[in-house]
Amino acid sequence: MKIALIGYGKMGKAIEEIAVQRGHEIVAKIDATGSLESLADQQVDVAIEFTRPDAAVQNILFCIEKGIPVVVGTTAWNHEFPRVKAAVETKNGAMLYASNFSVGVNIFFEINRRLAQLMNPHTEYTVNIEEIHHLQKLDAPSGTAVSIANDILGNSSSLKQWKLGEESAPEVQSDELAITSFRQPDVPGTHVVSYRSEVDTIEIRHEAHSRKGFALGAVIAAEFLNGKKGIFTMSDVLKITHK
Ligand SMILES: NC(=O)c1ccc[n+]([C@@H]2O[C@H](COP(=O)([O-])OP(=O)(O)OC[C@H]3O[C@@H](n4cnc5c(N)ncnc54)[C@H](OP(=O)(O)O)[C@@H]3O)[C@@H](O)[C@H]2O)c1
């Protein structure tokens, strides 16, 4: 496949390495000083977009306009999702977005949904989410933590919204799900969901050891998207079905 990288930072470079290992050709590398217009003049099978929250939407819309399928890893642009979805539908385009491309995290998402269903009747437990990332990360909470939170909210009768801040104490009844964000040197991404009661704690945890897992998932997603039309997620790639 001929792949264009939109964003050539930590993730763009990690994706390049994996894509070349898997036999693909990188035909463009565009950073903040580069021009998207160069993509219109060449054959690109799939673009992979890992830039920054305030740049993602215009990059995605450009790809859709030009008929280039686009895999999107940039997080924190979800409020613009309806506009992007409308553009994909109007142009009969192709987009795959994941807040986290790691295979392990997508399995973790499924375990989180199932655990939330099991815990829903047990109101003596208080659930909290903790996420830890490297110091350069621009958004907080992480897109992955927001996905985890939305899956818990979708399976809870008592929680109505998530909030960024201090974790909730077990004795406090609240309809808010707390997400606590920490920024530490050299942490690719750690997420913990814990349910605490007076008598015990249940915890599930995913810890990325490097960016390789995200990069591999993004390349597998690009291979999946090539030749398809519509909007997809990693659940489609990994054939994880939600119950
Ligand atoms: N979904 C996932 O699995 C996953 C995993 C890891 C990270 N992420 C997300 O991916 C994004 C990028 O992460 P990163 O660690 O690679 O960040 P990074 O190292 O800061 O790299 C960002 C890159 O985007 C470029 N850029 C900025 N504005 C641009 C624009 N308008 N057009 C084209 N390129 C532009 C930057 O160029 P300059 O260097 O010239 O500024 C840089 O090359 C973040 O939103 C992060 O949260 C997602």
Side-chain angles (χ1 to χ4, degrees):
M1 267 189 331
K2 293 184 186 300
I3 296 177
L5 298 175
I6 307 179
Y8 193 57
K10 291 183 282 299
M11 281 305 301
K13 292 184 176 98
I15 289 166
E16 176 180 34
E17 197 180 325
I18 304 268
V20 169
Q21 277 169 13
R22 290 175 73 90
H24 303 303
E25 185 187 350
I26 305 299
V27 293
K29 302 171 196 172
I30 296 173
D31 62 14
T33 56
S35 164
L36 287 173
E37 289 299 332
S38 63
L39 298 186
D41 306 329
Q42 57 185 317
Q43 194 205 324
V44 176
D45 294 316
V46 181
I48 304 184
E49 206 277 357
F50 278 74
T51 59
R52 44 184 295 143
D54 55 9
V57 173
Q58 70 177 50
N59 293 338
I60 299 166
L61 293 176
F62 175 90
C63 290
I64 292 167
E65 181 65 37
K66 300 293 179 199
I68 302 170
V70 58
V71 168
V72 184
T74 305
T75 49
W77 58 272
N78 305 41
H79 54 290
E80 296 265 40
F81 193 80
R83 188 150 76 101
V84 168
K85 182 168 180 275
V88 174
E89 285 165 0
T90 308
K91 293 282 173 187
N92 194 24
M95 183 191 79
L96 191 151
Y97 167 68
S99 60
N100 196 307
F101 279 95
S102 132
V103 171
V105 159
N106 283 276
I107 291 166
F108 181 89
F109 283 158
E110 191 61 15
I111 294 168
N112 174 55
R113 282 189 278 266
R114 180 73 185 117
L115 185 58
Q117 287 166 0
L118 290 170
M119 298 307 288
N120 187 34
H122 301 286
T123 52
E124 68 275 26
Y125 286 88
T126 300
V127 56
N128 285 288
I129 299 170
E130 180 184 299
E131 60 101 342
I132 313 169
H133 280 87
H134 53 89
L135 300 172
Q136 294 80 31
K137 185 163 178 62
L138 294 179
D139 50 324
S142 66
T144 304
V146 172
S147 298
I148 292 168
N150 286 334
D151 284 342
I152 294 172
L153 296 177
N155 287 288
S156 169
S157 316
S158 54
L159 296 168
K160 302 296 177 221
Q161 59 203 331
W162 60 261
K163 64 162 185 184
L164 179 63
E166 302 274 296
E167 71 176 50
S168 302
E171 63 279 8
V172 178
Q173 290 294 317
S174 168
D175 65 359
E176 290 185 316
L177 165 58
I179 307 176
T180 316
S181 295
F182 297 98
R183 297 291 170 258
Q184 296 170 7
D186 304 325
V187 178
T190 299
H191 294 86
V192 182
V193 178
S194 61
Y195 290 81
R196 263 179 230 161
S197 75
E198 194 188 336
V199 293
D200 60 7
T201 297
I202 301 171
E203 201 170 270
I204 55 171
R205 172 187 178 92
H206 180 274
E207 182 177 341
H209 298 317
S210 74
R211 291 186 177 80
K212 268 192 193 165
F214 310 131
L216 176 61
V219 176
I220 291 172
E223 292 165 356
F224 170 91
L225 192 63
N226 188 16
K228 292 196 175 61
K229 299 286 180 200
I231 294 183
F232 303 92
T233 71
M234 278 307 272
S235 297
D236 299 307
V237 179
L238 299 172
K239 299 187 174 59
I240 295 173
T241 49
H242 306 177
K243 289 203 180 131

